Amino acid sequence: MARSARLAEGGRIDRSKSVRFKFNGESYQGFKGDTLASALLANDVHLIGRSFKYHRPRGIMTAGSEEPNALVQLGEGARTEPNIRATQIEIFEGLTARSQNCWPSVGFDIGAVNSVLSRYLPAGFYYKTFMWPASLWLTYERFIRKAAGLGQAPTEPDPDRYAQHHAHCDVLIAGGGPAGLAAALAAGRSGARVILADEQNEFGGSLLSDAEAEIDGAPALAWVGAALEELRALPEVTILSRTTVTGYYDHNFLTAVERVTDHLDPDAAPPNTPRQRFWKIRAKQTVLAQGAIERPLVFAENDRPGVMLASAVAAYIQRYGVLPGREIVVFTNNDSAYATARLAARAGARVHLVDAREQPPGPLLAEMAALGVETHLGCGVVGVSGTKAIHGVDIAKLTEDEKGLAGPPLQVSADLIAMSGGWNPTVHLFSQSRGTLRYDETLASFVPDKTPQKARCAGSGNGAMMLAECLREGFEAGAAAARDAGFTVETPESPDAPALLDSPPRQIWTVPTVHPLGQGKRKHFLDHQNDVTAADVHLAAREGYLSVEHLKRYTTTGMGTDQGKTSNINALAILSEIRAADIPSVGTTTFRPPYTPAGFGAMSGQAVKDLFEPERGTPMHPWHLANGAVFEDVGDWKRPRYFPRDGEDMHAAVQRECRQVRETVGIMDASTLGKIDIQGKDSGRLLDLVYTNLFSSLKPGRIRYGLMLNEHGMIFDDGVTTCLGVNHYHMNTTTGGAARVLNWLEEWLQTEYPDWEVYCTSVTEQWAVATLSGPKARDVLLAVAPEMALDSDSFSFMTMREGVVAGIPARVFRVSFTGDLSYEINVPARYGRALWEALMAAGAPYAITPYGTESMHVLRAEKGFIIVGQDTDGSVTPRDMGMDWIVSKKKEDFIGKRSFARPDTAREGRKQLVGLLTEDPTFVLPEGAHLVSAVNPAPPMPMIGHVSSSYMSPNVGRSIALGLVKDGRNLMGRQFQVPLMSGRVETVTITEPVFFDKDGERSRG
Amino acid sequence: MLQITCPWCGPRDAVEFHCHGEAHIARPEKPHEISDAEWGDYIFFRKNPKGVHFERWTHDAGCRRWFNAIRNTVTDAFIATYAPTDPIPEIPTDDQGDA
Amino acid sequence: MKYNIFSLARNARTYHQDWTRAWRSPEPKPEYEAIIVGGGGHGLATAYYLAKECGVRSVAVLEKGWLGGGNTGRNTTIVRSNYLWDESAAIYEHSVKLWEGLSQDLNFNVMFSQRGLLHLAHTVHDLQEIGRRGHAIWLNGIDSEFLDVDQVREMVPLMNVNGRYPVLGALLQRRGGTARHDAVAWGYARKADEMGVDIIQNCAVTGFDIQNGVVKGVETTRGRIAAKKVGVVAAGHSSVLAEIAGFRMPLESVPLQALVSEPVKPCIDTVIMSNAVHVYLSQSDKGELVVGAGSDAYISYAQRGGFDVLEHIMGPLVELFPFVSRLRMLRQWGGIVDVTVDRSPILSKTPVENLFFNCGWGTGGFKCTPGSGHVFAHSIANGEMHPIAAPFSIDRFHTGALIDEGAAAAVAH
């Protein structure tokens, strides 16, 4: 049993609630309030995982979401999740986690051979090798891929639910530390609608791990408590803990991920609660108070388990009651880490303090002396003993130029290093907002400068490192934001908070070691996750990758799951040193959303499974379901494709349906066809504009087929339009084109001809349509519409009659897409199923069959009727389709007409619609097969056209096809070959594209 | 996500809208009297400016009306939105719009 | 210095101190035979092939920022040649063939990984579309296979083939795949530099010196540079440069977005594209899932887009690949793509003599980096468009001879 590192008292953990969890199969105990990291440290577990490239042992470096090292595979089975930061996950009873990127175990990892070979694997080594022989790259790559990749993706669907929440607020505050809380108070008091979000489970930010901070003479956390109490009482303030503001997009649109139940045992989570909630927030104003992240120091072997940020060590002691080391070396270049030394010493650790500065402030040194802390001034850590844990630390005096050691190293016994290289304001959201950054010499880091958006920054994220300043900036920003959002509020008086010492740091970007950088065993890590060292930056620069973007991409620094939160500034500074340029002129890489990784599940919210994209069904849809229809997706619609009987396959069902329609009668649900009601005195003008043929001459009650072109002269929709009365039309569009056509009409009406008086209304959903088709269609209709005169003289082809069908007021259109006698019966949608059932009953004596889209396609192809989108492809004109007859010669203009005269559109020999008959009448050409002008033993073969529609036709008694063939209309009767991938070559004869009832008697009869 | 002020409905999320490219391109009155080049220019060629752009939008998930907008294509800030029948608003020279 | 395992080992002995610069940083000369405006993949490839194959060694590449910083370094790295129209198949296949020897040709591992590329069909209409395209590709001598749903499932076990839009089949191009995008720019830059091409970064073109309708050089932020011929390969900024030169292009520049997940161990071995469900996905060698999102419909030069466009693919992504629900988006970004109405590129002469444009690659230009550079180099050198490039002339927007990949297939690239 390892020793316990848990302190006897202190911390914000609940010691009354013991929590058991498993790591790498071992069972451990922690407390409620622990993170996985703090609980593991309490159990003296430091080795957490292996690094990306060299598989070096890695431990816990931070206590927050910036953690690059301590990533674990959380959970098992369907709930497993890779790359979870041990520093962020709160433990719950039964939690399981394991190390990733190691095999067979984190302690003994075969992949660590990469570490032995690391000398041969510098930055970008893979660009220089694995090139020979070329054929082996896929093999090399397989090993590279296996070695990369960190954790494992789940293989099962996610059992959890996610929610999305849209919110509008006056002031969004990102970050609930002292500045954020102050901003929330100031804004909240004005009555503004405020959202305060913080990624942690508790508010207070840095104060949660600060033993010394005081506000107005009391412990700072008392002020935090009072602030929260006041905010909770304000009705317009929403307080979101465990909520990370992840993205700052244009026009003050922000996203946030709220981890609602991640801290609970999933099996015991409250019911009807999403696991995570994704917030989409439009904020009038924002206050960005994200705080600052401590910067690691770049010294030799700084990646060993046990090397932590000084602030993290403080957090583990103060917030979690864990002393992560007994013999601690605090290595700093600034004042802030002295607080860690004090905490550690008071908690009972033996502490060495290494300060790179020659002369830190006297009071600090006096304090150290009083606590028994041994100080090493003007020194650096130049080496670390131990690989999976630290045993000793080499400390040496640094030369004045910081390039070398001024004396031999002294080794001290130690098991933990707490390092501090200064602080980087967290400017991510600000930068995402298109904010520009300014370099602050004192901080040696970037701070927010200007943003075009309605954003303000406050606190240490704004470069204000002292508590009093944080509070003042928070109050000011909150009040100003509320004022700019239209509220009246005074800026509250800022409370008193004693400042700690803040003397200048000694900025050493690379701490020297016993050998020149990169020329020995000791490595200086920058990006701990991706194993990028300071020597790699030098190599990249040496090779000319001098732009900061090139550096990042060549070395992969900052490209890990932490996106370089701890490494970017160090990398940039080292590059600046090499280039002998100042840091601002070298610039930063672009900050991109999300701030921390955001779950795809959360972002997809409820739009999954049944709610992914709602299905559209017609009023008859339940009947189709009940009668075994097989559906196809057409746009959002589910349309019956065929209605199999007694184990029929599609072919058998379709052959039967098609025969039945031609023999007696069939019925089809045509409700999905687009329908647009067009009224107004200029309706005829509009139709004349958008159709190729003349519509303004159409008489009430009459129907005309029309083709619609785009301005390029290409067909984009077709359908029939009926004149219902004077200046009143009913337009049918294709099922898929309904919305597009309505938009098209509106575009011309609203933008080009706003003076025309036309009103277009989509009525697709208002009408249910049953189409009776077949020689017995009239008999069936007569049975349910005895009062309608259905004889051909009274109700001729291409006319519409209103009447009563099956007791329902109906519009009956005598049009035909099958080429047989057909009636499209339109009734108000709510009567659709009643109509359908009445027609089925009336058709029973004629063995009426319902038929689906597949049979419809066969029947129309028998007649050579085109389907826009199948026989056309956006590159064919009416002339190409052999439909010159529908292009008005009288009209001076219509949309698309001018394009006919362009050289390529007017030329002879374009692809034209023809019929295709195979030599073997039983063989159905695959749709999409091509005719070639010459068959070669193997491709390439010159193509002259393709098969657009192809079916077995029971009524023609053989296979039929339509196709587009170059100069096809001049090739009637000619034979061509259709080679197929199977090796088969089918001979086809080019014919007219009409195979059945060529004179069209049946539809008119 | 942009926030767009529909001249009829007010400010709404961009997800409710659709952009239809450059505005104020009138359809030639007598298409058959212009050259292929002029016709091609009308259909296909656009300013595509880096900076102030006059463009057409529809409020699809709202009033379904077309309108015009003046937007800076670098900042994505809207300078004005107006009905197709409105005169083109004058742009103050220093107005970069609301970001 | 030659890159191979031996030079790597040799340099390891000297702690990698002796590696030389991949490319120089020369001052611009007063005059060049040819200037290429734009230091992305296409521009660098053009310069390389000019020097290597066309004997034009006096070449400068002018890049206003850093090499490969535009769409070259922002795309989802998909390479394929399974296009419908003969003209498209010709140029993209020409490119794939160059890809197949590119690492060796450049002596720089561009990690061209022919891991196969699947176009899913979810509807009958999709099946017809891949049917036509698949046969056309095959007859053009390019590899093309149809898969049924069981074969799709076998290739991508983690895909949900029974979702809202079930998978009915797929078109597979085995020779399709991905490459390492940055390496393409660097590899071309290094080799072009080696052959004497001057690559000049941080040098923006501000004007063209045009005399009597003939281009004589360019004005830049680093002074005037004379050239006999100028090729503009500026992607999203093509319209801006055309305007400076005094003409317009049939282009719109829109933001295109993409994202990656956190890296995970291999789980997706091939490239998957679905038009009906609006997703395309692959897994990088680093382990990140690389996901292409759509483009915003508005013109923007901001290299960022709206969250709505990104969100629009989240549902489809999880629907098609349910396992990603518990993975996380690591980073999202945008590029500016110049889109033509027919979704085919423009490689063309212009109204200005000796000024050539190579643009309009829209959302799919990366795959054609070698092919585009190759035929554009020959076109510039000869003063006549290479036969493979000829159909992609600007003239087609006046004659009507569009190469309409968009309308024909509604293919996302």
Side-chain angles (χ1 to χ4, degrees):
Chain A
M1 180 83 185
R3 78 180 175 94
S4 171
R6 184 76 71 183
L7 294 166
E9 55 185 28
R12 302 183 62 76
I13 45 170
D14 183 348
R15 289 175 193 254
S16 70
K17 295 201 172 109
S18 172
V19 175
R20 293 211 70 82
F21 67 98
K22 276 189 177 171
F23 180 66
N24 285 336
E26 292 279 323
S27 190
Y28 297 99
Q29 182 254 328
F31 294 114
K32 189 168 185 305
D34 263 326
T35 62
L36 180 58
S38 69
L40 286 171
L41 290 173
N43 286 282
D44 202 26
V45 177
H46 282 264
L47 176 59
I48 307 296
R50 293 277 176 164
S51 64
F52 192 87
K53 182 171 161 188
Y54 300 137
H55 289 246
R56 303 235 322 180
R58 290 287 160 79
I60 295 160
M61 187 166 108
T62 75
S65 65
E66 67 274 27
E67 176 65 33
N69 276 345
L71 308 182
V72 298
Q73 183 90 27
L74 190 69
E76 280 159 6
R79 284 204 166 92
T80 193
E81 268 187 300
N83 309 339
I84 299 295
R85 299 172 177 84
T87 50
Q88 221 179 357
I89 187 75
E90 298 168 54
I91 57 166
F92 51 81
E93 186 67 30
L95 176 147
T96 61
R98 59 190 160 83
S99 300
Q100 43 184 46
N101 205 33
C102 54
W103 186 85
S105 75
V106 68
F108 177 73
D109 175 21
I110 296 285
V113 67
N114 285 358
S115 188
V116 179
L117 296 175
S118 64
R119 191 163 164 184
Y120 301 94
L121 313 175
F125 74 95
Y126 30 72
Y127 299 124
K128 296 180 174 128
T129 182
F130 302 123
M131 285 180 279
W132 187 88
S135 58
L136 272 188
W137 168 242
L138 272 176
T139 310
Y140 297 135
E141 196 184 29
R142 193 173 323 131
F143 289 100
I144 293 171
R145 287 168 81 89
K146 266 189 186 165
L150 296 175
Q152 269 159 346
T155 54
E156 296 164 50
D158 191 342
D160 289 324
R161 285 196 315 115
Y162 301 85
Q164 286 209 343
H165 195 81
H166 294 259
H168 291 258
C169 67
D170 296 307
V171 183
L172 170 69
I173 298 157
L181 287 168
L185 284 172
R189 285 170 188 162
S190 74
R193 189 178 295 176
V194 172
I195 297 176
L196 169 66
D198 190 277
E199 65 176 352
Q200 303 226 28
N201 61 330
E202 286 189 278
F203 286 84
S206 61
L207 300 178
L208 294 167
S209 33
D210 193 327
E212 297 156 359
E214 286 186 359
I215 297 176
D216 276 344
L221 285 179
W223 178 88
V224 170
L228 281 171
E229 200 175 323
E230 182 181 344
L231 290 169
R232 288 201 180 97
L234 292 170
E236 295 294 339
V237 174
T238 303
I239 302 173
L240 301 172
S241 61
R242 301 188 177 94
T243 303
T244 309
V245 180
T246 50
Y248 200 140
Y249 301 87
D250 285 334
H251 300 186
N252 262 31
F253 180 85
L254 296 97
T255 55
V257 179
E258 180 186 3
R259 293 174 297 279
V260 184
T261 64
D262 276 2
H263 60 294
L264 303 173
D265 174 2
D267 296 322
N272 300 320
T273 306
R275 175 185 173 225
Q276 294 176 351
R277 187 177 286 126
F278 191 71
W279 287 72
K280 295 187 278 185
I281 305 165
R282 182 79 68 178
K284 282 191 187 148
Q285 300 285 328
T286 63
V287 176
L288 306 177
Q290 292 182 285
I293 294 172
E294 197 165 30
R295 198 155 58 217
L297 284 162
V298 182
F299 58 88
E301 308 292 80
N302 60 343
D303 69 321
R304 295 304 185 194
V307 178
M308 289 188 192
L309 294 178
S311 56
V313 174
Y316 289 116
I317 297 171
Q318 177 68 15
R319 185 169 173 188
Y320 299 102
V322 175
L323 182 61
R326 290 284 174 86
E327 297 174 307
I328 301 179
V329 172
V330 177
F331 179 22
T332 186
N333 67 355
N334 67 86
D335 291 351
S336 67
Y338 282 78
T340 302
R342 279 194 292 272
L343 268 175
R346 285 184 188 133
R350 202 170 77 84
V351 180
H352 287 271
L353 188 128
V354 181
D355 196 325
R357 300 174 295 184
E358 295 285 350
Q359 289 180 313
L364 289 178
L365 294 177
E367 234 179 10
M368 291 300 112
L371 287 163
V373 172
E374 199 176 319
T375 50
H376 308 260
L377 303 185
C379 290
V381 171
V382 300
V384 178
S385 303
T387 51
K388 294 177 206 162
I390 298 175
H391 310 309
V393 171
D394 294 338
I395 299 168
K397 190 93 177 161
L398 306 179
T399 56
E400 208 162 302
D401 67 357
E402 299 159 2
K403 299 274 185 273
L405 310 188
L410 160 82
Q411 180 157 89
V412 301
S413 173
D415 56 5
L416 192 85
I417 296 175
M419 61 181 165
S420 178
W423 293 83
N424 294 326
T426 306
V427 296
H428 297 66
L429 288 175
F430 179 81
S431 188
Q432 286 177 28
S433 83
R434 303 195 190 212
T436 54
L437 304 175
R438 177 174 59 76
Y439 188 72
D440 183 304
E441 291 286 348
T442 318
L443 288 174
S445 195
F446 286 94
V447 294
D449 190 13
K450 292 195 179 72
T451 173
Q453 302 215 40
K454 296 177 171 68
R456 286 178 175 75
C457 295
S460 56
N462 198 32
M465 293 299 164
M466 292 297 109
L467 179 56
E469 233 183 319
C470 285
L471 292 166
R472 184 179 52 74
E473 285 195 2
F475 280 121
E476 283 173 2
R483 278 195 292 271
D484 283 354
F487 295 82
T488 309
V489 62
E490 293 289 311
T491 305
E493 200 170 313
S494 196
D496 185 38
L500 302 173
L501 282 169
D502 189 25
S503 57
R506 180 186 186 189
Q507 206 57 60
I508 301 177
W509 295 111
T510 312
V511 181
T513 183
V514 291
H515 55 66
L517 185 72
Q519 301 190 17
K521 283 200 183 317
R522 298 181 179 186
K523 288 187 182 347
H524 291 67
F525 282 89
L526 276 173
D527 183 320
H528 292 243
Q529 187 178 109
N530 279 351
D531 283 334
V532 181
T533 65
D536 287 327
V537 176
H538 284 263
L539 172 61
R542 195 174 299 133
E543 296 194 84
Y545 299 91
L546 289 165
S547 145
V548 62
E549 283 284 354
H550 285 157
L551 174 77
K552 166 184 144 184
R553 289 154 183 261
Y554 191 66
T555 64
T556 74
T557 189
M559 292 176 77
T561 64
D562 58 321
Q563 291 282 286
K565 289 191 178 62
T566 53
S567 59
N568 280 348
I569 296 291
N570 282 336
L572 185 58
I574 293 170
L575 180 66
S576 307
E577 282 185 336
I578 298 166
R579 283 176 51 178
D582 59 359
I583 290 178
S585 73
V586 172
T588 66
T589 55
T590 313
F591 293 84
R592 296 281 189 180
Y595 173 63
T596 53
F600 291 112
M603 285 188 285
S604 56
Q606 296 95 334
V608 291
K609 298 175 185 147
D610 291 344
L611 297 177
F612 163 52
E613 261 185 42
E615 295 174 357
R616 280 176 98 179
T618 71
M620 293 81 129
H621 192 75
W623 190 93
H624 305 327
L625 278 173
N627 286 274
V630 174
F631 293 91
E632 71 161 317
D633 290 297
V634 182
D636 301 334
W637 293 99
K638 288 283 182 190
R639 295 195 76 181
R641 193 174 183 194
Y642 56 99
F643 291 86
R645 283 184 192 161
D646 310 325
E648 281 177 332
D649 62 7
M650 182 169 90
H651 176 75
V654 169
Q655 296 297 300
R656 173 182 52 72
E657 289 172 13
C658 289
R659 258 195 310 272
Q660 196 69 41
V661 169
R662 298 270 188 238
E663 278 170 20
T664 60
V665 63
I667 181 170
M668 197 190 73
D669 181 353
S671 308
T672 62
L673 280 185
K675 304 172 209 72
I676 302 170
D677 184 87
I678 301 172
Q679 303 191 35
K681 71 176 171 57
D682 295 303
S683 303
R685 252 173 123 178
L686 174 69
L687 295 174
D688 283 349
L689 176 74
V690 298
Y691 277 129
T692 60
N693 48 344
L694 199 63
F695 271 80
S696 50
S697 60
L698 197 64
K699 299 279 177 294
R702 300 213 63 90
I703 304 172
R704 196 164 283 168
Y705 173 77
L707 275 183
M708 235 177 248
L709 314 183
N710 57 25
E711 210 52 296
H712 322 179
M714 305 300 156
I715 297 169
F716 89 90
D717 208 76
D718 71 342
V720 295
T721 288
T722 306
C723 182
L724 297 174
V726 178
N727 294 330
H728 189 188
Y729 297 87
H730 176 88
M731 176 186 280
N732 275 128
T733 73
T734 58
T735 294
R740 192 162 59 228
V741 171
L742 181 63
N743 290 342
W744 183 241
L745 302 180
E746 287 291 347
E747 176 174 351
W748 291 105
L749 287 172
Q750 292 188 36
T751 67
E752 199 74 30
Y753 305 107
D755 51 329
W756 290 7
E757 191 187 314
V758 186
Y759 306 96
C760 301
T761 311
S762 168
V763 293
T764 303
E765 301 272 3
Q766 273 63 38
W767 296 95
V769 183
T771 299
L772 286 174
S773 191
K776 297 297 179 192
R778 183 176 287 126
D779 304 80
V780 177
L781 182 56
L782 200 56
V784 290
E787 277 157 35
M788 283 187 88
L790 296 181
D791 62 283
S792 235
D793 292 335
S794 314
F795 191 175
S796 59
F797 185 52
M798 296 304 273
T799 63
M800 185 279 296
R801 293 288 176 270
E802 289 182 304
V804 175
V805 178
I808 306 161
R811 289 177 185 166
V812 183
F813 298 77
R814 201 181 148 190
V815 292
S816 177
F817 194 42
T818 62
D820 249 293
L821 173 64
S822 298
Y823 297 95
E824 290 192 354
I825 305 158
N826 287 236
V827 296
R830 62 190 179 279
Y831 298 118
R833 184 159 181 189
L835 171 75
W836 183 272
E837 287 179 352
L839 292 171
M840 281 302 293
Y846 309 99
I848 191 170
T849 181
Y851 66 97
T853 50
E854 193 64 25
S855 294
M856 175 185 81
H857 290 175
V858 177
L859 293 164
R860 64 88 203 177
E862 291 175 345
K863 291 289 299 174
F865 296 151
I866 63 161
I867 290 184
V868 171
Q870 179 173 346
D871 300 300
T872 72
D873 62 6
S875 71
V876 295
T877 65
R879 187 162 157 246
D880 299 338
M881 284 282 109
M883 294 170 85
D884 275 343
W885 53 272
I886 205 173
V887 178
S888 170
K889 309 282 182 293
K890 287 185 222 155
K891 288 198 289 184
E892 189 178 307
D893 191 20
F894 54 82
I895 290 169
K897 179 172 182 168
R898 173 63 183 81
S899 288
F900 294 164
R902 297 176 304 181
D904 188 73
T905 321
R907 78 180 154 84
E908 294 303 314
R910 286 171 61 89
K911 284 175 88 171
Q912 294 157 348
L913 183 76
V914 294
L916 299 169
L917 290 176
T918 50
E919 197 162 56
D920 174 357
T922 66
F923 183 68
V924 180
L925 291 165
E927 285 169 351
H930 291 255
L931 288 71
V932 298
S933 55
V935 175
N936 300 332
M941 301 183 221
M943 289 169 268
I944 60 163
H946 74 278
V947 179
S948 59
S949 296
S950 178
Y951 311 97
M952 177 55 70
S953 161
N955 300 310
V956 182
R958 56 156 300 142
S959 66
I960 57 169
L962 299 173
L964 283 106
V965 176
K966 284 178 190 165
D967 205 23
R969 273 201 306 283
N970 289 322
L971 300 172
M972 289 298 151
R974 292 273 298 276
Q975 291 198 324
F976 291 94
Q977 310 286 303
V978 178
L980 300 172
M981 287 189 199
S982 62
R984 179 177 182 136
V985 179
E986 183 66 24
T987 302
V988 297
T989 305
I990 301 214
T991 70
E992 287 296 332
V994 186
F995 304 100
F996 185 79
D997 186 30
K998 293 190 180 172
D999 301 326
E1001 290 305 316
R1002 294 171 72 106
S1003 56
R1004 283 187 215 102
Chain B
M1 177 163 44
L2 305 182
Q3 191 175 46
I4 302 170
T5 303
C6 169
W8 293 279
C9 307
R12 296 286 189 278
D13 280 352
V15 70
E16 296 185 12
F17 298 84
H18 196 80
C19 186
H20 300 270
E22 189 174 331
H24 305 301
I25 300 173
R27 188 169 192 267
E29 292 209 359
K30 305 262 181 207
H32 52 283
E33 289 178 5
I34 62 174
S35 69
D36 287 340
E38 287 167 313
W39 180 247
D41 286 351
Y42 158 67
I43 319 180
F44 299 121
F45 287 68
R46 296 293 179 260
K47 287 189 190 129
N48 195 25
K50 187 174 183 179
V52 173
H53 188 228
F54 295 78
E55 60 195 16
R56 309 187 304 164
W57 289 82
T58 45
H59 192 188
D60 301 86
C63 62
R64 299 196 53 80
R65 290 169 84 169
W66 288 67
F67 62 92
N68 293 329
I70 311 174
R71 188 176 54 90
N72 184 317
T73 63
V74 178
T75 63
D76 290 325
F78 282 89
I79 296 159
T81 53
Y82 55 102
T85 48
D86 287 347
I88 301 174
E90 283 192 30
I91 314 169
T93 46
D94 61 337
D95 189 351
Q96 292 306 299
D98 287 334
Chain C
M1 191 182 301
K2 185 95 176 152
Y3 290 166
N4 56 38
I5 195 158
F6 307 108
S7 64
L8 198 61
R10 199 166 56 244
N11 276 284
R13 286 202 299 272
T14 54
Y15 303 107
H16 303 285
Q17 296 292 315
D18 300 330
W19 289 109
T20 52
R21 288 183 67 150
W23 53 84
R24 296 162 296 132
S25 231
E27 282 303 309
K29 295 182 191 126
E31 186 176 0
Y32 292 92
E33 281 282 306
I35 284 177
I36 304 302
V37 181
H42 288 238
L44 292 164
T46 305
Y48 167 66
Y49 292 115
L50 271 172
K52 181 192 174 210
E53 295 195 4
C54 306
V56 185
R57 297 262 173 149
S58 167
V59 179
V61 176
L62 309 184
E63 166 54 49
K64 71 172 175 175
W66 43 281
L67 290 187
N71 297 335
T72 301
R74 294 166 191 273
N75 67 86
T76 50
T77 81
I78 294 171
V79 176
R80 63 187 179 93
S81 59
N82 54 1
Y83 281 74
L84 174 65
W85 301 107
D86 294 351
E87 297 86 346
S88 311
I91 195 166
Y92 290 106
E93 176 62 10
H94 183 60
S95 194
V96 168
K97 289 202 171 116
L98 289 169
W99 275 113
E100 286 171 332
L102 195 62
S103 292
Q104 291 70 32
D105 186 24
L106 298 180
N107 180 231
F108 201 101
N109 191 350
V110 299
M111 305 183 189
F112 177 46
S113 173
Q114 294 181 295
R115 49 188 53 260
L117 180 142
L118 282 173
H119 269 125
L120 303 180
H122 298 272
T123 64
V124 175
H125 181 265
D126 283 353
L127 283 174
Q128 289 163 344
E129 189 276 314
I130 64 167
R132 179 179 171 196
R133 192 155 49 93
H135 281 106
I137 297 158
W138 172 66
L139 287 169
N140 268 319
I142 302 168
D143 74 301
S144 174
E145 286 172 57
F146 296 111
L147 302 190
D148 64 24
V149 62
D150 291 329
Q151 293 169 302
V152 172
R153 207 188 330 237
E154 202 171 306
M155 270 192 96
V156 194
L158 291 177
M159 192 194 304
N160 171 23
V161 297
N162 298 312
R164 166 70 176 85
Y165 296 102
V167 175
L168 306 180
L171 178 64
L172 169 64
Q173 184 177 23
R174 288 196 192 272
R175 287 163 62 246
T178 57
R180 173 86 185 97
H181 53 15
D182 293 324
V184 177
W186 301 338
Y188 273 119
R190 173 169 164 266
K191 208 69 179 174
D193 176 90
E194 197 178 294
M195 296 207 273
V197 172
D198 281 357
I199 295 166
I200 302 158
Q201 300 185 70
N202 302 308
C203 178
V205 169
T206 54
F208 293 94
D209 179 3
I210 298 167
Q211 296 168 22
N212 302 320
V214 184
V215 72
K216 299 289 183 188
V218 294
E219 304 289 342
T220 77
T221 47
R222 293 169 71 170
R224 184 181 179 283
I225 309 173
K228 296 200 176 72
K229 288 169 179 175
V230 177
V232 173
V233 198
H237 281 77
S238 299
S239 292
V240 176
L241 286 158
E243 197 201 351
I244 296 173
F247 50 88
R248 276 197 200 178
M249 297 297 284
L251 294 172
E252 290 190 316
S253 296
V254 299
L256 177 71
Q257 298 186 62
L259 63 96
V260 291
S261 75
E262 293 184 311
V264 287
K265 292 291 176 192
C267 57
I268 295 285
D269 283 337
T270 186
V271 184
I272 300 139
M273 308 181 75
S274 162
N275 296 319
V277 187
H278 310 294
V279 161
Y280 53 103
L281 174 85
S282 64
Q283 187 174 18
S284 73
D285 285 351
K286 201 160 180 286
E288 299 151 333
L289 297 179
V290 183
V291 184
S295 45
D296 290 277
Y298 54 83
I299 293 171
S300 177
Y301 286 84
Q303 292 190 327
R304 58 196 269 136
F307 181 75
D308 45 324
V309 170
L310 204 69
E311 186 183 23
H312 189 68
I313 62 150
M314 291 299 162
L317 184 64
V318 174
E319 171 74 5
L320 199 54
F321 302 100
F323 76 96
V324 308
S325 179
R326 292 183 93 84
L327 299 183
R328 301 186 291 175
M329 176 170 84
L330 175 60
R331 185 178 173 86
Q332 64 162 105
W333 65 92
I336 312 165
V337 297
D338 45 326
V339 180
T340 59
V341 74
D342 63 359
R343 298 296 184 269
S344 284
I346 294 168
L347 294 102
S348 185
K349 297 184 182 183
T350 67
V352 177
E353 203 175 321
N354 292 337
L355 177 61
F356 301 80
F357 264 62
N358 180 350
C359 57
W361 289 95
T363 58
F366 176 72
K367 66 177 76 72
C368 213
T369 305
S372 152
H374 189 260
V375 298
F376 197 52
H378 282 273
S379 304
I380 291 174
N382 299 332
E384 282 305 322
M385 298 312 291
H386 184 282
I388 289 178
F392 297 96
S393 154
I394 306 178
D395 290 346
R396 73 180 189 271
F397 297 96
H398 293 133
T399 64
L402 301 186
I403 304 162
D404 207 335
E405 290 291 338
V411 174
H413 289 251

